[in-house]
Amino acid sequence: MHKEIYIETSKKQEIIDITDKIEKLVNITEGICMVYVPHATAAIMINESYDPKIMTDIIDALNLLIPQGKWKHDLVDNNGAAHIKAGIIGPSEQIPIIDGKLGLGRWQGIMLCDFDGPRKRKIIVSIK
Ligand code: ZN
């Protein structure tokens, strides 16, 4: 079974906690929940969701590692850095389903990372 959800981002770069939206889709007792974003400048990441400053820190760290405006792809649509960041974080995560719930750690959440927003982003959730 798979479902789709849509998230509208509001900033150029943004990391949004989508754990609650994913959790609502879990309708089996045991299995795997795969969360996938079908976009080349967005990513899915599991990290601490308790302190929102971590999301800002991750964006700041990626900006230091991968500065804007020095990539060959910028000549195409000026978002080379966004593609590299999305490639490093990756388009998906898998979470075990245990006793009908996502088997996340106490501090973990599922994040949508948009590196070239604001946009409407599609997320595919496959539950098996
Ligand atoms: Zn591009």
Side-chain angles (χ1 to χ4, degrees), residues 40-41 73-74 76-80 82-83 116 119:
T41 55
H73 178 73
D74 291 339
V76 178
D77 61 354
N78 201 31
N79 64 357
H83 287 284
D116 195 27
R119 294 190 198 213

Side-chain angles (χ1 to χ4, degrees), residues 31-48:
I32 296 280
C33 176
M34 195 274 298
V35 183
Y36 176 81
V37 66
H39 300 287
T41 55
I44 299 292
M45 177 178 63
I46 292 176
N47 209 299
E48 179 175 324

